[in-house]
Amino acid sequence: MKLSNVAVLLGVAAAMTSMPSHAGDHRNEARANHRIDSGMQAVSIDTTVGQPGYGWRYFADARKGRAVVISPDGDYFYSRGEGLTLVYEAPSAI
């Protein structure tokens, strides 16, 4: 066997044995509770009945440039600094 083939074989073997350790890192990260260090802060607004924004709840993380807005109906909107995107639409009460 040529020396270059042995080097390739050893490189592939090393890469394959390191894959499970990387997979374990992702598994642990998925189980972690991300809400502990979310950085989201409630944003208080002064609105009264009939004004735009009344009943809406706002949360922002200025460090990471993201925000969550919850409508009075329970719809969730998420922003990464590029406008709000509907991520959850509450079932309508009929």
Side-chain angles (χ1 to χ4, degrees), residues 56 69-78 85-94:
W56 289 70
V69 179
I70 305 172
S71 76
D73 297 328
D75 299 334
Y76 280 65
F77 298 86
Y78 181 74
T85 303
L86 180 66
V87 294
Y88 173 76
E89 187 171 357
S92 60
I94 297 178

Side-chain angles (χ1 to χ4, degrees), residues 2 5 15 18 25-26 28 32 34-35 38 42 46 53 59 61-62 64 67 81 83 85-87 90:
K2 291 183 181 178
N5 291 344
S18 68
D25 292 343
H26 293 293
N28 292 339
H34 295 288
R35 287 181 265 173
S38 70
D46 295 326
F59 304 89
D61 183 354
K64 295 188 179 179
T85 303
L86 180 66
V87 294

Side-chain angles (χ1 to χ4, degrees), residues 40 61 64-68 77-85 87:
M40 287 286 182
D61 183 354
K64 295 188 179 179
R66 58 186 182 174
V68 173
F77 298 86
Y78 181 74
S79 173
R80 288 190 180 133
E82 299 175 2
L84 294 172
T85 303
V87 294

Side-chain angles (χ1 to χ4, degrees), residues 1 11-13 16-17 20 33 39 46 48 54 63 69 81 84 93:
M1 196 181 261
V12 170
M16 301 250 329
T17 57
N33 189 349
D46 295 326
T48 58
Y54 178 76
R63 290 180 294 145
V69 179
L84 294 172

Side-chain angles (χ1 to χ4, degrees), residues 18-37:
S18 68
M19 291 176 104
S21 67
H22 289 298
D25 292 343
H26 293 293
R27 248 184 258 120
N28 292 339
E29 195 173 302
R31 290 184 193 142
N33 189 349
H34 295 288
R35 287 181 265 173
I36 291 172
D37 188 30

